[in-house]
Amino acid sequence: MISVHSWKTIYDLLISFNGCVMKVSYNWLKSYVKFDESPDQLAVKLTEAGFEVEEYYPVIKEFNKVVVGVVESVDKHPSADKLSLCKVSDGKESFQVICGAPNVSVGQTVPFAKIGAVLPGNFKIKKAKIRGIESFGMICSKEELGLEKTSEGIWAVDAKLEAGTDFNEFLKSKKDFVFDLAITPNRPDCLSMIGIAREIAAFTNNKLKHPEISFNEDTSLDVNKLIKINIDDKIGCPRYACRVIKDVKIVPSPEWMQTKLESVGIRPINNIVDITNYVLIEYGHPLHAFDLSQVNGSEINVRKSHKGERFTTLDDKERELPENTVMICDKNKTVAIGGIMGGQNSEVTDATVDVLLEGAYFDPRHIAKSSRGLGLSTEASQRFERGADPNGVIRAIDRAAGLMAKLASGHIAKGISDEYPEKIEPTKVPFRPAR
């Protein structure tokens, strides 16, 4: 007879073994492997290879009567403090436009929807009168064009474009297809662009191209003098490593990175956070960036949660932690739920100067149980609970550090602080190729 406790254990394991959906960009895949298959053909071949394509769809649909506009003037609306009265040129004539975005300014290149344009959601642009003043068109945000879920303002295009150009011409370089792939629980290696690219390389007989990882370390900075790692919960966290990147400049990530992240449903935030998300999708290995100035005592301590312990996560929710949840702490406080989500008290902000970059391996069973107990599933937890590569930690952390040096002008401290008490050796499966 199986006890109630045993049945619960079996049930917990079955829940953690659910598959999940991986969003894959057609264009992004081509960064790692050459292939000639069209989106239709690729969908068939991926399904035949065991990766069911639930659906695939274009990232950008064509618009009508949306052109490149240039903002010529911005004045306050006489009857509304939060509205602006703008003049927008399409290269031939100027249009009076009422705009409610806080970031509109003179000289910006913007997507301008003329009267008669139809935007996603069948939203038709008409002549309107707002607080007594007529408006002839709309300056668009990425959200209004269906390119991201939420936008904080209009899209100020960072490119030299001639006013009046059909905006579809500008978007040609961004045209892409996204595949929703059902990844079975036994293939955590395919929860990444490189994992899927490896499969494509196999069935197309082409070579897999790994990203080049190269950077210079600042020999005047020693990572081991900047941070110390102590792992008390060696079962929940068999490996924890980090690098320190000093003097970073927090700015928006470049357009190419934002485009790739948006194509798979990730909203860009800033260059540092975007880099960790980029490497997560690229390699399938979650990373986390802390503001080093908020990590007290120059130390990281990995321990189990206490009974009744509470923690406020990045989504501004205070959560009661299940017992034995892996917690990441500094000398005085908790800074993250290991493998699931970071905390508000150490997040990267516009004021961040130095970054502590975490790369770790967390035990799948611990992450699955804690994620379920918290009711919190994240891109990181989905990968750790299915089994990330414990020996892929350094590759992922070095890739992100190199990008931070390049895109955030950071100085990478010499060395990696890497606590790995008992090395996990790769499983060897003997077979006879001839058979």
Side-chain angles (χ1 to χ4, degrees), residues 63-323:
F63 307 105
N64 69 318
K65 294 192 175 181
V66 178
V67 302
V68 173
V70 174
V71 181
E72 294 182 318
S73 66
V74 178
D75 297 298
K76 275 191 172 183
H77 190 296
S79 304
D81 291 339
K82 293 185 178 181
L83 296 178
S84 299
L85 183 60
C86 307
K87 289 283 187 183
V88 181
S89 170
D90 70 350
K92 294 181 180 178
E93 60 180 307
S94 296
F95 298 84
Q96 181 172 276
V97 179
I98 307 296
C99 181
N103 65 325
V104 64
S105 63
V106 175
Q108 287 175 326
T109 300
V110 296
F112 176 50
K114 291 185 169 185
I115 291 171
V118 180
L119 301 183
N122 200 32
F123 179 61
K124 297 177 182 178
I125 304 299
K126 302 176 182 178
K127 184 174 79 171
K129 184 174 282 190
I130 303 172
R131 294 289 185 94
I133 296 181
E134 290 184 318
S135 181
F136 301 87
M138 185 171 77
I139 304 172
C140 301
S141 66
K142 286 186 178 182
E143 179 182 355
E144 287 155 343
L145 295 176
L147 302 180
E148 65 181 12
K149 289 183 179 179
T150 56
S151 297
E152 295 180 358
I154 60 165
W155 184 6
V157 179
D158 185 20
K160 291 182 179 180
L161 300 171
E162 187 176 345
T165 303
D166 187 333
F167 207 71
N168 290 310
E169 287 297 310
F170 169 65
L171 292 175
K172 271 185 179 178
S173 63
K174 298 176 179 292
K175 283 197 173 180
D176 195 2
F177 284 82
V178 170
F179 297 79
D180 286 350
L181 303 183
I183 306 298
T184 53
N186 63 322
R187 295 302 307 270
D189 58 303
C190 287
L191 289 173
S192 65
M193 288 291 173
I194 289 176
I196 298 300
R198 184 184 294 112
E199 298 299 316
I200 294 172
F203 64 63
T204 61
N205 200 29
N206 289 318
K207 189 175 180 180
L208 180 67
K209 179 185 175 184
H210 284 277
E212 182 181 345
I213 300 175
S214 63
F215 52 83
N216 296 317
E217 295 179 323
D218 188 334
T219 55
S220 68
L221 302 168
D222 184 349
V223 72
N224 293 305
K225 293 180 180 178
L226 298 170
I227 196 73
K228 182 182 178 183
I229 300 170
N230 304 299
I231 303 178
D232 292 327
D233 184 6
K234 294 179 175 61
I235 296 175
C237 178
R239 186 178 195 181
Y240 193 99
C242 58
R243 276 193 178 274
V244 171
I245 300 92
K246 302 272 285 185
D247 303 320
V248 299
K249 292 178 175 60
I250 306 296
V251 295
S253 55
E255 192 76 26
W256 63 264
M257 180 173 282
Q258 292 191 37
T259 297
K260 286 184 176 180
L261 291 175
E262 287 166 351
S263 72
V264 294
I266 295 178
R267 182 173 66 88
I269 297 172
N270 60 49
N271 51 350
I272 298 299
V273 175
D274 291 355
I275 286 167
T276 62
N277 285 329
Y278 183 86
V279 175
L280 162 75
I281 299 300
E282 182 176 62
Y283 276 109
H285 201 104
L287 303 171
H288 188 71
F290 298 99
D291 184 326
L292 183 61
S293 69
Q294 302 302 312
V295 178
N296 298 331
S298 298
E299 62 184 63
I300 286 290
N301 300 297
V302 185
R303 61 164 175 83
K304 297 178 182 178
S305 60
H306 307 307
K307 187 175 182 179
E309 184 175 355
R310 304 183 73 85
F311 180 66
T312 301
T313 44
L314 279 169
D315 57 1
D316 198 26
K317 292 182 180 179
E318 186 182 58
R319 303 173 186 274
E320 184 169 342
L321 303 166
E323 283 190 76

